[in-house]
Amino acid sequence: MTSNREIHLARRPEGWPTEDIFRLVETDVPTPGPGQIVVRNQYVSVDPYMRGRMNDVKSYVPPFALDAPLDGAAVGEVVASESPDIAVGDTVLHGLGWREYALLDAGRARTVDASIAPASAYLSVLGMPGLTAYAGLLEVAAMKPGETVFVSAAAGSVGSLVGQIAKLKGAGRVIGSAGSAAKVERLRALGFDAAFDYHDGPVRDSLRAAAPDGVDVYFDNVGGDHLEAAISAMNLHGRVAICGMIAQYNATEPPAAPRNLALVIGKRLTLRGFLVNDHNNLRATFVQDVAGWLGEGRLSYDETVVDGIENAPAAFLGLLRGENLGKMLVRV
């Protein structure tokens, strides 16, 4: 093929993004130069953090440029190579998603073994979401056997793995919140001891009922009322690993919660934000543990797959609305 389609950011959103901020652009398939490869993407990832990059504000990662392709994790097959390190036919993980064909320096790609797990798994359970769950729970929050763990957005790609890893590592009780009855049932099937739909009533009341003896570790993907409820429920010396705050990504006004941060003092709580790239030292141990659990059938993961690069914006917006179970992916 000589045609390459990619998604550009046409303008910056205000509040909730809409499909008209994206533009589908057709270009030529690139040709590699010395040390470069061309990848035919098979799956591209859409992730909540991408919402922040659509704003023109300083953050831990640069904002997306206007009238240029967006980027993000992707996995695909090498179709052209001018590098001695990566061959045509290799499956690689890289950071130039939101397009059908990607041109990049070979050093920016990592070969993966698609015979061990499906290629898409390297964007979910064996990729960034898996390592985020593993590092956030075990290193950032330092969960200990016997403790009670609460996970928000627990049916998502990260949260669903946090709960399962907690059980595998000896948590005494694992509780998850999700956005529908079907997701709550899925959490119970994954081994969560308790789960609730946050639409059914105040999160504080639902969490109190699910964790009558309090919470030791909270893995936060939501912020807002979930964080407020967790602070109220935390035991002395509890730890909060703050991975994301999706409840606030599209807000145009300051958040109403949490309003109880003073409790952090008396309870001697630790609230720690983290980025997965700070924990690459755990990658080898993470892969060894997760591959073993998958092989033994002790760890499950879900994927929601949308077909066609032209539907990547719809997949991203669906992710923000909570329409995914597990990892939201676009099959190119």
Side-chain angles (χ1 to χ4, degrees):
M1 293 180 64
T2 59
S3 177
N4 175 37
R5 295 183 300 166
E6 52 193 31
I7 303 295
H8 289 205
L9 187 64
R11 62 180 179 82
R12 302 201 183 279
E14 297 181 9
W16 277 87
T18 53
E19 287 210 37
D20 61 357
I21 72 167
F22 303 97
R23 182 182 297 120
L24 180 66
V25 176
E26 187 169 313
T27 64
D28 293 331
V29 173
T31 300
Q36 293 184 320
I37 59 174
V38 175
V39 182
R40 172 66 166 95
N41 285 333
Q42 298 167 329
Y43 292 90
V44 302
S45 176
V46 291
D47 301 283
Y49 81 88
M50 294 175 174
R51 174 61 186 85
R53 295 190 64 193
M54 293 175 185
N55 298 328
D56 189 14
V57 296
K58 185 177 181 180
S59 183
Y60 62 89
V61 63
F64 292 126
L66 292 177
D67 300 315
L70 293 90
D71 58 69
V75 65
E77 180 184 357
V78 177
V79 295
S81 176
E82 292 295 330
S83 167
D85 301 318
I86 296 181
V88 171
D90 284 350
T91 301
V92 298
L93 180 69
H94 63 92
L96 293 182
W98 292 81
R99 67 201 79 189
E100 292 176 319
Y101 290 87
L103 171 68
L104 65 152
D105 294 337
R108 296 174 60 195
R110 178 164 61 90
T111 57
V112 297
D113 189 347
S115 68
I116 295 176
S120 61
Y122 292 96
L123 296 176
S124 58
V125 65
L126 287 171
M128 181 268 288
L131 182 57
T132 300
Y134 189 92
L137 178 69
L138 301 179
E139 187 163 86
V140 177
M143 188 210 83
K144 296 185 283 290
E147 291 190 318
T148 296
V149 176
F150 172 45
V151 189
S152 57
S157 60
V158 174
S160 60
L161 298 175
V162 171
Q164 293 181 83
I165 293 170
K167 294 296 289 185
L168 287 164
K169 290 291 188 178
R173 185 168 177 79
V174 177
I175 301 153
S177 72
S180 71
K183 289 182 178 181
V184 167
E185 285 305 309
R186 179 56 179 159
L187 295 181
R188 293 187 176 125
L190 291 174
F192 282 68
D193 297 291
F196 61 87
D197 183 343
Y198 60 81
H199 295 110
D200 288 346
V203 176
R204 180 180 296 192
D205 294 345
S206 297
L207 181 58
R208 185 182 298 118
D213 296 323
V215 171
D216 302 298
V217 168
Y218 172 44
F219 195 104
D220 190 16
N221 292 303
V222 174
D225 58 351
H226 278 73
L227 179 56
E228 180 173 282
I231 290 171
S232 291
M234 297 294 284
N235 294 324
L236 291 179
H237 304 292
R239 288 90 64 208
V240 180
I242 301 177
C243 175
M245 293 191 174
I246 196 170
Q248 296 163 212
Y249 290 168
N250 299 302
T252 56
E253 299 293 333
R259 296 160 293 187
N260 58 350
L261 283 175
L263 293 177
V264 172
I265 303 167
K267 292 187 176 188
R268 282 83 97 192
L269 305 182
T270 299
L271 280 64
R272 181 178 170 192
F274 74 101
L275 299 177
V276 65
N277 288 338
D278 294 337
H279 301 276
N280 284 321
N281 61 297
L282 295 178
R283 185 174 296 278
T285 305
F286 153 72
V287 171
Q288 181 179 5
D289 279 351
V290 170
W293 292 329
L294 289 172
E296 296 162 1
R298 301 173 68 196
L299 185 68
S300 300
Y301 65 99
D302 295 310
E303 295 176 346
T304 300
V305 179
V306 174
D307 284 309
I309 194 66
E310 69 277 10
N311 293 317
F316 174 72
L317 298 179
L319 172 74
L320 295 182
R321 291 190 294 264
E323 296 173 1
N324 57 302
L325 185 63
K327 185 75 184 80
M328 180 70 90
L329 296 171
V330 179
R331 182 163 44 209
V332 182

